[in-house]
Structure formats: structure tokens, C-alpha cells
Amino acid sequence: MAVARTRSVAVIGVTGRTVEVEADVGNGLAGIHLIGLPDTALSEARDRVRSAMVNSTYPWPDARIIVSLFPASLPKRGSQFDLAIAVAILGAAGVIPAQRIAEPFFLGELGLDGRIRPVRGVLPSIIGAAKHGDVTVVVPAANSAEAALVPNVKVIPVSHLRQLVEWLRRGDDEPEPRAEECAELPKSTDGPTVDLADVVGQPVARRALEVCAAGGHNLWMLGPPGTGKTMLAERLPTLLPDLELDHALEVTAIHSVAGALPPNAPMVSRPPFVSPHHTATSAAIIGGGSAIVRPGAVSLAHRGVLFLDEAPEFPRHVLDALRQPLESGRVTVSRSAGSVTFPARFMLVLAANPCPCAQAEDQNETCKCTPTIKRRYLGRLSGPLLDRIDMKVTVVRSSRRELLADRQFVETSKTVAERVLLARERAAKRLTGTPWRTNAEIPSSLLHSDYRPSNEAMKPMTSCLDSGTLTARGLDRVVRVAWTLADLADKDTPEEDETNAALSFWLGVKS
């Protein structure tokens, strides 16, 4: 009996950190000791590993067993270390060759009968392991499709501890797949897809949606109930192009850590759409947790859309917490055990009624709200938050003619998405050689140097700056939207028409 070493991965936020697992089986009082800052779930691994080994017909060493997780200063959380601990103990006990387990990475939770169960965060774990070059990773069979997304990594799917041990003893290429590994994945049960053609009328709001999709801008829609605000927001993702490979892996890693990755969709290839309820806490929106920090709605909406319906009903401190990720594209959650950073670059869409009673005065209905009540209601959306919104649109109810018109002439999502894609390609070509791909990502310093419109085009904004109706941040937002309007119009640079339209959207001209 001696010391055996193997490797696993700890996930900190959405980053995988290599952990070396050592097992020493030697003389002394029989028992197992786990060291290296394990949490409660990891401390319980000793009982799961023992039962799994015994029920897989492998003897439990009647000796002193010490399992060390290096680096010792790194907190280890979760049950994904079970498989690596079991393999290290079997290697130290001489059941399997110690040299066969030194290089591969092992991830998986053990059942008491020896089954290897799926775990969260497999994709970021494999990405972290891949930093060491061409590696072999042993994962639960249920996680194999997710693990296979990372290139230049040899993935070994296993479903039972005995199957893994026999493969390590034989030393052949791969273990034989079991019946449950070959089973077909469940079919997707997605409902009918939504389409922008479902929205009747609202030409200004539809145009705003197209501009948002083309440039990655934020949007605020104000109007009474029944005007289609929610329908418009839900159809914004249908205008967006598929995620590029690096973005898709980034988004999939976040959903894997959150446990929100469906089994029949190992990769998130479409921009996500997240719509939390207005009773959600700041931890649910931003991210948090006591023992294990989980990503919040802003990170789950990364590279997609975060929609806050009835935005004034959200607590003000929750809304103001969005200001920092809207600027930086990431969010840092600090707890006593340390800080975790999640990516959070999303398009924010807010929808609000003009007052609490939501009675539309343009339809001969009587609003019971005083000006003070209206001011207090919309005042929950603070000025600094609205200053970060690129476009503001007032939505009114569609007319009888619009509702009864022939809808075969209404533009579909596919038609608008083609224009959005062309505009994004123009922006990407212009931004070649930079880390940015949409106009919304261009930093302020470059907006007023390399990407500054002509003085003639800037004229509509000068009077607003002089009167104080346009802030410095608002100026940046207007210039970015003007560039997007120019891309949609197939122009090389924004002209006065584009800056006028962008300024109207930012000021919130009534439709």
C-alpha cells in the first residue's frame, strides 16, 4: 500500500481550477480522513465512496486512509470529487494501476450502489482541464454530450464504478458503453415558436425592437395593458442571430453551473431570454448564495435578453443593482469565503404601465391616479438606471383598422432578422481587430475619437447638451444607436437623419 494521485476540477464561478487528489493508505487506526477545505457535501463523500466500492465488490481497505485535495487553500464544494476520491483510494490500495490514474481527470458523483451520477458545471470543468493540453476526462455518461463540446479533449463516459475500474485494469481504448448510455435522448418538447408577425400595429415599437437587436441596445416600453409590450419583448430573441461558438460555450457554461441546462440540449446555441417575476430578490437577479454562489438572472441572460415586466413593481434596490452590470458586462458577488465573478452582458428590456391603476385615458377611461402617485410609481425607475437605457418608446393601443387589417403583409421575424444580421455584419467588419462585435459594446473613449460622427450629424445633440436634457452618458447612448441606424440603412457613417432618430428614441418621443 502506498500513495496514489489523480486529478479533478473545482468550479469557482464559471472557471475550472485543477485539483490534485492524493490518497494515502497505510498503517494506523482504520478510518478515512478528508483534508483540503471540503464543504459538508464533500465531507460526506467518505460514506458514499465506501458504500459504492463495497457494493461494486471491491474491498474497503482496513487501514488508515488520508485523502488530500490540493491546493489546500482553495475551498472545495459539491459532490463532483466522489469519483476522483474513489479512484485514488483504489489506486493506493493496489486494486488498479496507480500510473493509469495519474493523468486523467475524473468528475462524477457516486451512488451507494456504485452508479455514477451527473453533476453540475461539467462544461466549465472540462474547459479548465483543457488548459493543460490534450487531456482525458472521465465523466458520467449523462454528461458526456456536454463534455464533448470542448475540442481536443478525450471524453470517457462511464455509468458505473465497476465499469470504470475494469477499464482501468484492462488498459484498452475505451470502456464498453452500457445500454443506458446508448439510449436516445428525449425529444425536445418546445411549444410553438413565437413570431413578430403576431404583433399588430406598433410600427415605432417594432422599429425600436429591430434597432435593439441590430446593435445590442437596451429598451424601455411605456404604455397601458394590452398594447403588446410583453409580446414585443418575447419576440426580441427571434430577431437575434445564433450565438457564435465561443459565445455559445460561454453561455452554456453559465447554465451548466446553474443546473439549468436541459438534458436534450447540451449546448445553448440561441440567445437566452430570462424574465424573472417582480418578487425576485437581489440575489436571484444578481446572483448569490451562502455556501455555493450561483449565477443570477443577469448572468443567465448573458448574450441574450433580460426582460423585467411591470418594472416599477420590482424593489428599487433590485433595479439599481442592475446599473453596474449594464456598464461593465459582468457582476461580482462577494461572500465571506471569497468573491466570484460571472459574465453578464445582456440586453435589458423594461416594460411599465404609466400609473398603478393602468387606465388608458385615450380610450375614454378615467385614471384615478393623482400626479403625485404617477410620479412616485415611475420614480421607482431611478434616473441613473434610465440613463443607461438607449431607447425609450411610448406604446399606445392599436386602432381598429390595424387590428382588422390583413396580417399576411405584416413582416415576420425571419424578414426582420435578415436585416439585423446584415447590420451586425457591417458592425463586426467595422470593429475588426477589436474585442467588440456590436455598437453597444464600443467604449466611450472610442465613440468620440475613431467612431465620432461628423459635426453636421452631431448638431441635433448640441442643443440638448446645452439645455441639460442630454447627459454625457446619454450622448454615448445616442451615438451608439445612430451607428446602428446607419448600419441598418447601409451607410458608412451616421448622418443627421440617424442622429435625429437616435435622439428621439433616447428622449422617448410619443409614438
Side-chain angles (χ1 to χ4, degrees), residues 354-429:
C355 61
C357 76
Q359 297 293 335
E361 295 182 347
D362 59 344
Q363 297 295 323
N364 297 322
E365 297 174 355
T366 304
C367 176
K368 302 179 178 63
C369 301
T370 64
T372 302
I373 292 176
K374 291 181 180 180
R375 211 164 35 243
R376 185 183 300 120
Y377 181 72
L378 292 179
R380 298 177 188 176
L381 304 176
S382 65
L385 175 63
L386 294 180
D387 207 25
R388 290 166 168 82
I389 303 299
D390 308 71
M391 308 177 69
K392 307 174 182 72
V393 176
T394 302
V395 185
V396 297
R397 290 179 176 174
S398 300
S399 65
R400 178 168 62 93
R401 177 177 296 180
E402 290 173 329
L403 291 173
L404 299 179
D406 191 347
R407 302 190 183 186
Q408 65 174 331
F409 300 108
V410 179
E411 282 191 321
T412 63
S413 291
K414 182 180 179 181
T415 302
V416 179
E418 291 173 355
R419 295 199 298 266
V420 168
L421 181 59
L422 290 175
R424 286 205 169 207
E425 288 175 350
R426 286 183 62 87
K429 184 178 180 181

Side-chain angles (χ1 to χ4, degrees), residues 70-85:
F70 174 83
S73 59
L74 180 70
K76 324 304 187 300
R77 299 183 175 91
S79 57
Q80 69 269 22
F81 299 97
D82 287 6
L83 194 58
I85 293 173

Side-chain angles (χ1 to χ4, degrees), residues 260-377:
L261 201 62
N264 60 333
M267 176 179 280
V268 180
S269 58
R270 291 290 304 159
F273 178 82
V274 180
S275 179
H277 194 261
H278 65 261
T279 57
T281 63
S282 58
I285 300 295
I286 301 300
S290 53
I292 301 178
V293 178
R294 300 292 186 196
V298 295
S299 297
L300 293 174
H302 181 59
R303 303 294 177 185
V305 179
L306 176 65
F307 175 50
L308 301 186
D309 199 6
E310 306 295 342
E313 298 295 340
F314 284 79
R316 180 160 181 168
H317 72 277
V318 173
L319 294 172
D320 285 340
L322 298 172
R323 287 152 53 179
Q324 185 264 340
L326 282 174
E327 288 291 329
S328 63
R330 61 182 181 274
V331 60
T332 300
V333 181
S334 298
R335 293 293 183 267
S336 58
S339 298
V340 177
T341 299
F342 295 105
R345 188 168 296 282
F346 55 91
M347 286 186 288
L348 176 64
V349 179
L350 303 176
N353 296 322
C355 61
C357 76
Q359 297 293 335
E361 295 182 347
D362 59 344
Q363 297 295 323
N364 297 322
E365 297 174 355
T366 304
C367 176
K368 302 179 178 63
C369 301
T370 64
T372 302
I373 292 176
K374 291 181 180 180
R375 211 164 35 243
R376 185 183 300 120
Y377 181 72

